[in-house]
């Protein structure tokens, strides 16, 4: 069997994968980071966010380790890091019945980054997805203040000829802070006739 | 229609291999120079198909870091070139190089180099230093490689001064490369002081932009990735400091940065077996200095068991022996360094040491205040510093006492331990000091380090000391 990853993708220490029955017979992806690094990511206490008026699920806290991860993945453009959370993402999303819709990037931004980071996370986890939305602005939420984010005009449009009527949708994004992005996407989909819109983000900022 | 070459463009790009879209100059300007053929443009990643009979294998090569480890090339669907693209993970920290990234190389000639460099140094050489310095100049004249094997505190940097001066006045471009940023920061002001009329640049991750054509460059080995056939002489200081020994591509970077046939000079206190073998096989010049410049022997480390120190520290307690050692330093007013095998353990220990003395600080590689903290210890503003192996070399602090916690850990190789021990007793007024290896079991690396120090003392003094 050919190994894909020989060293921890985050710290470079060699990975000693133990051959177990679970590993041979199960369908979990091969480990990509060492236990030490894995231990430094902190899961969110409760996966349900009660502040929002609809369901948003998040996995991890935005601690220093996660900041470093996201920086290397999104800003240093290390696409290989899409694999780091593939087991967790698949575990969480493979049994969902809703249509998985990643939050899209603005086309100009995509050219600049060379890859769509949310799509790559899903691809790495082997989760099928569909695009219904287009981003209409190149502004990023991260550069704005809380007030500016909450009051920003609609960020998304529906893709031409997209049929979301009566569909159940699960939005996926890498990180949510104020929830503005998700809220805008949800509104656009509900207005277009979606039956329900829930959301999943890897990180709760 | 031609264009007049701006000196600042030529000065910057001479000898460099740079990303087309990330230069310190306006993009339109760079594109205009490229159009006029002043630059050679090449893709950052090249691929070659090797065929073994019917089996064909594609092999990638990074044109910046010369990495050829195929596991470090990642294929992905690229939205920029709208194709299957590939990037090099090896040098990604310096900005990602992919198949659709262009690298540019300055084709036009070199700026005129200065041949009137002044060496403003009035120090006195010991006979051994004098000899090594002359041997080095001879090697440069003969265009052959040279190894300076000198114990910690032998005054290696001073030995380089006359040789660098000689090379510069020959109109040569010289590079001093070292694996550690700390060493660059330590060397740069010293060279600036003794070569007051020479343009010198210091390069390391995050270094400021410096103008003019530098005939002398002091750089981390990593930054050499950004040069190609640039130097007439390459001096590698602390040649075997991590990560240089482990990383083949850094070694290739040293070769790539030099012009063809440019001699390489290795300076180290702990040459690897490999380098020693090469010196014999390839007939390098070799200078050996087993004695410190102040004429006193190297302090010999003592071993002190510290059983289960990890568990004890994790429980929130500093082992008694370590507390005693620290308190003794505080009582005697001696600055100290305590080396830890991992950042994690050091981070747990830091608040515990703070309760012994509130001004004890800790440093590690990513610490942004590293420079300031070492300076504070040197200026006696703080009593001591906890550190990872990051401070194992190039750091000189008067009368410093050193403890290694967990000397049996893998990271403390014999050469790391020799270097750490070499921090002690470097000053003429304080030629001795305590160097203790606290351990959970003695390793061969620890024995090797102590034996080597004893051997060097024997060679330098004809009899065993300590």
């Amino acid at each position: 069997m050919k190994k894909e990853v020989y060293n921890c993708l985050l710290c470079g220490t060699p990975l000693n994968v133990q051959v177990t029955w679970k590993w041979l017979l199960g369908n979990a992806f091969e480990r990509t980071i060492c236990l030490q690094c894995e231990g430094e990511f902190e899961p969110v206490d409760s996966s349900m966010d009660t502040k929002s008026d609809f369901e948003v699920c998040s996995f991890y806290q935005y601690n220093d380790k996660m900041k470093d991860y996201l920086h290397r993945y999104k800003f240093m453009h290390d696409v290989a890091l899409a694999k780091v959370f593939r087991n967790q993402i698949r575990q969480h999303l493979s049994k969902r019945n809703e249509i998985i819709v990643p939050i899209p990037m603005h086309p100009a931004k995509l050219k600049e980054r060379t890859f769509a980071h949310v799509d790559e996370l899903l691809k790495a986890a082997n989760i099928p997805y569909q695009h219904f939305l287009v981003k209409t602005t190149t502004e990023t939420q991260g550069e704005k203040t809380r007030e500016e984010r909450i009051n920003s005009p609609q960020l998304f449009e529906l893709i031409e000829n997209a049929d979301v009527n009566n569909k159940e949708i699960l939005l996926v994004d890498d990180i949510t802070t104020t929830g503005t992005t998700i809220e805008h996407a949800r509104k656009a989909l509900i207005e277009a006739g979606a039956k329900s819109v829930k959301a999943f983000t890897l990180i709760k900022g | 229609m031609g264009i007049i070459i701006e000196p600042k463009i030529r000065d910057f790009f001479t000898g460099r291999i740079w990303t087309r879209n990330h230069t310190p100059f306006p993009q339109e300007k760079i594109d205009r120079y490229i159009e006029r053929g002043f630059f050679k443009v090449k893709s950052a990643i090249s691929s070659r198909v090797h065929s073994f009979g019917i089996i064909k294998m594609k092999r990638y090569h990074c044109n910046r870091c010369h990495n050829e480890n195929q596991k470090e090339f990642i294929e992905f669907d690229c939205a920029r070139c709208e194709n299957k693209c590939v990037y090099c993970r090896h040098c990604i920290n310096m900005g990602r190089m992919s198949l659709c990234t262009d690298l540019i190389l300055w084709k036009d000639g070199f700026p005129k180099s200065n041949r009137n460099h002044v060496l403003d140094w009035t120090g006195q050489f010991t006979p051994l230093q004098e000899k090594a310095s002359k041997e080095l100049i001879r090697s440069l004249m003969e265009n052959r490689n040279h190894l300076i094997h000198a114990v910690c505190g032998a005054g290696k940097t001073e030995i380089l001064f006359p040789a660098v001066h000689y090379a510069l006045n020959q109109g040569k471009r010289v590079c001093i490369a070292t694996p550690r940023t700390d060493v660059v920061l330590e060397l740069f002001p010293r060279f600036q002081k003794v070569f007051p009329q020479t343009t010198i640049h210091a390069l390391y991750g995050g270094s400021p932009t410096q103008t003019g054509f530098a005939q002398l460059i002091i750089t981390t080995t990593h930054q050499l990735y950004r040069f190609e056939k640039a130097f007439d002489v390459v001096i590698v200081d602390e040649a075997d400091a991590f990560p240089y020994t482990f990383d083949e591509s850094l070694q290739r970077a040293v070769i790539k940065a030099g012009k063809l046939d440019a001699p390489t000079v290795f300076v180290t206190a702990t040459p690897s077996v490999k380098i020693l073998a090469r010196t014999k096989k390839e007939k390098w010049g070799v200078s050996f200095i087993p004695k410190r410049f102040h004429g006193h022997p190297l302090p010999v480390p003592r071993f002190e068991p510290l059983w289960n120190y990890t568990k004890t520290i994790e429980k929130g307690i500093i082992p008694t022996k370590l507390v005693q050692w620290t308190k003794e330093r505080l009582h005697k007013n001696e600055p100290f360094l305590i080396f830890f095998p991992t950042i994690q353990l050091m981070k747990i220990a830091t608040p515990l040491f703070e309760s012994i003395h509130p001004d004890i600080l800790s440093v590690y590689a990513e610490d942004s205040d590293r420079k300031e903290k070492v300076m504070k210890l040197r200026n006696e503003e703080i009593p001591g510093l906890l550190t990872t192996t990051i401070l194992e070399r190039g750091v000189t602090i008067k009368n410093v006492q050193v403890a290694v916690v967990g000397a049996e850990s893998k990271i403390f190789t014999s050469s790391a331990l020799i270097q750490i021990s070499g921090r002690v007793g470097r000053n003429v007024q304080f030629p001795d000091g305590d160097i203790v290896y606290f351990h959970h079991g003695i390793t061969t690396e620890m024995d090797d380090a102590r034996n080597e120090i004893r051997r060097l003392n024997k060679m330098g003094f004809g009899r065993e000391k300590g």
Side-chain angles (χ1 to χ4, degrees):
Chain A
M1 209 173 285
K2 193 184 161 247
K3 274 175 75 174
E4 296 172 73
V5 183
Y6 296 81
N7 295 82
C8 172
L9 284 178
L10 296 178
C11 70
T13 51
L15 292 175
N16 310 310
V17 182
Q18 286 198 326
V19 180
T20 58
W21 284 109
K22 199 180 159 196
W23 181 75
L24 278 171
L25 302 173
N27 60 352
F29 291 115
E30 195 189 296
R31 149 178 299 290
T32 56
I33 58 171
C34 65
L35 291 168
Q36 179 94 50
C37 282
E38 194 167 293
E40 285 177 52
F41 292 106
E42 287 172 80
V44 189
D45 307 333
S46 111
S47 59
M48 290 281 280
D49 189 351
T50 44
K51 272 185 283 175
S52 184
D53 52 355
F54 76 110
E55 192 190 318
V56 182
C57 234
S58 300
F59 252 9
Y60 291 104
Q61 295 181 39
Y62 194 45
N63 63 3
D64 285 345
K65 185 77 178 172
M66 191 52 97
K67 253 182 220 170
D68 177 58
Y69 166 79
L70 213 57
H71 175 79
R72 287 166 64 178
Y73 178 48
K74 274 169 81 172
F75 300 101
M76 300 301 285
H77 304 171
D78 197 354
V79 192
L81 297 185
K83 287 180 180 162
V84 169
F85 297 108
R86 57 185 178 175
N87 269 320
Q88 290 86 338
I89 291 172
R90 186 169 68 168
Q91 229 176 50
H92 208 80
L93 297 183
S94 63
K95 301 236 163 61
R96 301 289 291 235
N97 300 317
E98 300 97 332
I99 300 172
I100 310 274
V101 178
I103 295 290
M105 280 171 80
H106 189 274
K109 199 94 187 162
L110 176 63
K111 263 250 159 349
E112 200 184 299
R113 185 169 291 158
T114 73
F115 65 101
H117 57 283
V118 183
D119 297 25
E120 291 297 330
L121 287 175
L122 293 168
K123 271 196 228 166
N126 216 356
I127 300 289
Y129 60 88
Q130 216 175 328
H131 272 293
F132 283 141
L133 300 167
V134 207
K135 189 134 185 216
T136 50
T137 162
T138 52
E139 292 167 16
T140 39
Q141 296 298 309
E143 289 157 6
K144 292 194 245 170
T145 65
R146 201 184 167 87
E147 268 63 50
E148 282 172 337
R149 290 189 206 191
I150 288 161
N151 300 322
S152 57
Q154 179 57 27
L155 301 166
F156 300 99
E157 262 172 21
L158 230 59
I159 283 180
E160 256 180 85
N161 305 326
D163 178 21
V164 292
N165 208 10
N166 227 13
K167 281 179 175 149
E168 292 179 49
I169 285 164
L170 182 68
L171 287 165
V172 177
D173 205 356
D174 55 341
I175 182 166
T176 175
T177 314
T178 55
T180 308
T181 308
I182 300 271
E183 186 51 39
H184 278 250
R186 187 187 75 97
K187 241 161 97 193
L189 290 166
I190 290 285
E191 276 167 19
K195 188 171 158 197
S196 75
V197 178
K198 291 173 186 166
F200 166 81
T201 67
L202 184 64
I203 311 156
K204 174 89 189 84
Chain B
M1 220 184 85
I3 47 176
I4 298 160
I5 302 166
E6 282 174 74
K8 62 178 181 186
I9 297 240
R10 185 191 56 198
D11 289 349
F12 181 82
F13 286 105
T14 301
R16 278 192 159 105
I17 177 162
W18 209 263
T19 321
R20 177 180 185 153
N21 296 328
H22 289 280
T23 68
F25 303 100
Q27 192 60 47
E28 313 86 69
K29 199 176 258 179
I30 296 300
D31 288 341
R32 210 162 57 233
Y33 275 88
I34 291 171
E35 248 170 63
R36 302 279 155 89
F38 284 98
F39 286 102
K40 189 176 153 192
V41 181
K42 64 176 170 185
S43 165
I45 309 284
S46 39
S47 69
R48 232 180 281 151
V49 179
H50 293 250
S51 45
F52 308 95
I54 47 163
I55 304 160
K56 283 196 167 51
M57 260 171 70
K58 202 184 219 178
R59 285 185 64 85
Y60 294 112
H61 171 91
C62 176
N63 285 320
R64 181 172 65 184
C65 73
H66 284 209
N67 170 38
E68 286 195 329
N69 180 355
Q70 298 302 305
K71 287 172 214 143
E72 288 178 308
F73 289 100
I74 309 289
E75 289 173 342
F76 72 109
D77 300 312
C78 179
R80 186 168 55 204
C81 61
E82 295 174 338
N83 225 321
K84 267 256 177 268
C85 198
V86 60
Y87 69 90
C88 171
R89 266 201 108 211
H90 189 88
C91 59
I92 194 164
N93 285 340
M94 302 173 85
R96 195 184 74 177
M97 293 289 107
S98 69
L99 212 55
C100 59
T101 315
D102 281 338
L103 289 173
I104 54 174
L105 289 117
W106 187 248
K107 280 203 290 200
D108 211 55
F110 263 52
K112 244 200 158 47
S113 50
N114 179 4
R115 285 171 191 252
N116 298 312
H117 296 269
V118 173
L119 173 60
D120 182 11
W121 184 67
T122 50
Q124 275 286 312
F125 273 148
T126 63
L128 281 170
Q129 280 179 309
E130 179 90 48
K131 183 167 170 270
S133 175
K134 289 209 167 112
E135 285 165 346
L136 177 58
I137 292 176
R138 178 131 298 271
S139 283
L140 294 185
M141 281 175 177
E142 290 169 13
N143 236 31
R144 63 170 179 180
N145 293 352
H146 194 97
L147 169 73
I148 296 178
H149 176 189
V151 296
C152 304
K156 292 186 285 265
T157 312
E158 289 80 5
I159 295 169
L160 298 178
F161 291 158
V164 169
H165 187 224
Y166 163 80
L168 290 174
N169 275 345
Q170 294 284 305
K172 292 187 169 168
R173 196 178 195 194
V174 181
C175 161
I176 300 171
T178 161
R180 295 279 169 93
T181 302
D182 305 74
V183 182
V184 175
L185 294 172
E186 170 125 358
L187 291 181
F188 183 49
R190 290 171 72 182
F191 275 88
Q192 272 182 317
K193 204 173 154 212
V194 298
F195 292 107
Q197 290 174 24
T198 308
T199 309
I200 309 175
H201 287 177
L203 304 176
Y204 48 90
S207 57
T209 5
Q210 296 152 83
T211 54
F213 175 72
Q215 214 182 319
L216 176 59
I217 283 181
I218 300 173
T219 176
T220 56
T221 36
H222 262 101
Q223 295 298 322
L224 286 181
Y225 287 153
R226 295 186 160 141
F227 288 90
E228 194 160 309
K229 297 197 181 81
F231 302 105
D232 303 284
V233 177
V234 182
I235 300 169
V236 187
D237 194 15
E238 305 289 0
D240 50 352
F242 178 81
Y244 187 72
T245 24
F246 297 105
D247 195 334
E248 265 181 55
S249 91
L250 276 179
Q251 299 182 29
R252 271 188 239 134
V254 169
I255 297 165
K256 165 186 112 138
K259 290 182 187 165
L260 296 172
D261 302 326
T264 310
V265 179
F266 289 93
V267 186
T268 178
T270 47
S272 60
V273 181
K274 234 175 160 177
I275 283 194
L276 287 174
R278 273 184 68 192
T279 58
K280 291 204 181 91
K281 211 174 129 202
E282 297 166 17
K283 303 220 166 16
W284 296 13
V286 177
S287 307
F288 177 52
I289 309 177
K291 230 178 178 175
R292 287 187 153 179
F293 76 95
H294 57 44
H296 294 271
L298 298 159
V300 178
R302 58 189 179 91
F303 297 173
E304 205 52 73
L306 201 67
W307 307 115
N308 284 319
Y309 61 89
T310 315
K311 276 192 190 146
T312 319
I313 291 171
E314 278 172 356
K315 267 189 232 152
I317 303 161
I318 308 172
T320 326
K321 274 186 196 163
L322 190 52
V323 176
Q324 280 170 356
W325 189 86
T326 312
K327 284 192 171 157
E328 202 184 319
R329 302 287 82 79
L330 290 168
H331 179 71
K332 289 187 179 166
N333 238 336
E334 294 166 339
F336 62 88
L337 286 171
I338 303 177
F339 286 83
F340 283 85
T342 60
I343 299 178
Q344 289 91 331
L345 191 67
M346 188 180 75
K347 279 187 175 164
I348 301 170
T350 309
L352 307 178
F353 275 93
E354 276 168 8
S355 66
I356 301 180
H357 192 292
D359 294 337
I360 298 175
L361 301 176
S362 64
V363 281
Y364 52 98
E366 289 86 27
D367 193 334
S368 50
D369 301 330
R370 199 159 105 201
K371 258 200 291 189
E372 289 75 21
K373 287 179 179 172
V374 175
M375 203 57 105
K376 275 187 179 163
L377 184 63
R378 197 170 286 149
N379 298 343
E380 294 169 15
E381 286 166 40
I382 54 168
L385 209 47
L386 313 184
T387 174
T388 59
T389 53
I390 194 71
L391 292 187
E392 82 183 32
R393 355 187 140 219
V395 182
T396 304
I397 292 154
K398 200 165 87 182
N399 196 24
V400 74
Q401 314 288 309
V402 174
V404 180
V405 174
E408 82 290 346
S409 305
K410 253 195 218 156
I411 189 151
F412 295 121
T413 58
S414 62
S415 77
L417 288 169
I418 291 170
Q419 290 287 356
I420 289 171
S421 312
R423 299 307 104 212
V424 181
R426 295 169 78 96
N427 194 283
V428 202
Q429 293 160 36
F430 304 97
D432 206 1
D434 194 22
I435 163 73
V436 52
Y437 299 168
F438 287 114
H439 63 86
H440 181 81
I442 296 169
T443 59
T444 46
E445 298 286 334
M446 288 163 65
D447 277 332
D448 288 349
R450 188 164 65 179
N451 290 340
E452 176 66 10
I453 290 170
R454 284 183 172 150
R455 190 183 71 89
L456 289 166
N457 278 345
K458 221 169 153 182
M459 295 189 74
F461 297 91
R463 67 196 152 87
E464 195 159 336
K465 284 209 176 183

